[in-house]
Amino acid sequence: SYLSLCALVLLVSSVLTPECRSCLECSRDNGCVRCPERLFLFLQRDGMSHHGTCLPLCPAGHYGQRGKDINRCMKCRSLDCDHCFSRDFCTRCRAGFQLHKGRCLARCPAGTVAHLTDCLEDCLLAPSGQWSDWSVCLRDGGTCGFSWGRQTRIRGGGRSWRTAEEKAPSLCPTHSETQRCRMKKRCPTGEGCNLSNVHQRASPLVLPETYRHL
């Protein structure tokens, strides 16, 4: 009938409009109301109403939230956030802000330094010191009487980076590592297996607390 033909023409014309080409369902007044499975519905306020668009990626200041029936573009909580993983966890900030633990800050907090667009722990950027010599090979506090023991070496973390307004650089935590080492299975005659004999021949090495009792 004539009315059915008119309805079909109106339906086809609405589907072919640019804002409706990516939709599964489209409203002439509100744009997309349902999107294909892999696309996200992005609603923009237009006066008193909202206009929907189906997008493969959500725009700046939004993140994609997948649902059972529809995927939506949700707004990041912080206005300073350019991209976010969830409402409260930012992954990239707008110009003029630094990213620190999911938040956008105008200035990096104490103990961190601005690096590109992030606030990093200052010790992460500090140059590491040189490794010390390996310590004496030990086991149960002795230097002989076993086939194998352990020895340790340490490396200073250097000095942290600080801005001109802050105090003098502070020392970063030291790093340590251990390895297996060969020992004299039989102690020399007249020489005990304790550390007192070793200290007379080798300069002492201060070990971290966790390695003092092997």
Side-chain angles (χ1 to χ4, degrees):
S1 65
Y2 178 78
L3 292 178
S4 299
L5 181 60
C6 289
L8 180 60
V9 170
L10 289 174
L11 177 62
V12 171
S13 63
S14 66
V15 171
L16 293 179
T17 55
E19 62 270 18
C20 290
R21 287 177 181 172
S22 61
C23 311
L24 286 181
E25 292 183 19
C26 187
S27 165
R28 175 172 294 182
D29 296 326
N30 301 109
C32 296
V33 294
R34 193 160 70 94
C35 300
E37 183 178 354
R38 295 185 179 182
L39 300 184
F40 294 91
L41 177 63
F42 174 55
L43 296 177
Q44 288 179 291
R45 183 176 293 277
D46 184 13
M48 298 298 293
S49 61
H50 287 85
H51 186 83
T53 309
C54 293
L55 302 173
L57 294 174
C58 294
H62 296 75
Y63 67 98
Q65 185 179 69
R66 297 191 178 275
K68 183 178 180 181
D69 300 319
I70 191 170
N71 304 323
R72 297 180 181 273
C73 289
M74 308 297 291
K75 200 168 186 179
C76 305
R77 180 188 292 272
S78 174
L79 297 178
D80 306 322
C81 185
D82 201 17
H83 289 283
C84 55
F85 176 75
S86 62
R87 188 182 182 206
D88 296 304
F89 195 92
C90 190
T91 56
R92 192 173 75 188
C93 301
R94 297 187 186 276
F97 293 88
Q98 301 292 132
L99 181 64
H100 179 64
K101 296 182 178 180
R103 298 170 55 206
C104 295
L105 306 175
R107 184 177 181 180
C108 291
T112 65
V113 62
H115 181 67
L116 300 179
T117 59
D118 299 322
C119 294
L120 298 181
E121 302 294 331
D122 51 9
C123 282
L124 293 179
L125 299 175
S128 298
Q130 297 294 322
W131 284 106
S132 68
D133 294 332
W134 287 103
S135 68
V136 176
C137 193
L138 301 174
R139 180 169 176 179
D140 295 338
T143 60
C144 56
F146 301 94
S147 298
W148 295 94
R150 306 287 292 181
Q151 59 184 171
T152 305
R153 67 176 183 174
I154 60 175
R155 179 172 68 178
R159 292 183 178 274
S160 62
W161 291 20
R162 297 295 172 89
T163 61
E165 298 94 14
E166 295 178 332
K167 296 180 180 179
S170 62
L171 290 176
C172 294
T174 59
H175 304 276
S176 61
E177 63 180 19
T178 62
Q179 69 176 9
R180 201 178 182 206
C181 54
R182 277 282 189 183
M183 299 181 66
K184 293 181 179 179
K185 193 169 184 179
R186 301 184 64 179
C187 296
T189 304
E191 182 177 333
C193 296
N194 54 55
L195 288 177
S196 59
N197 299 303
V198 178
H199 288 316
Q200 296 175 3
R201 298 176 297 161
S203 59
L205 175 65
V206 179
L207 302 179
E209 184 67 28
T210 54
Y211 295 103
R212 291 179 182 174
H213 303 286
L214 296 177

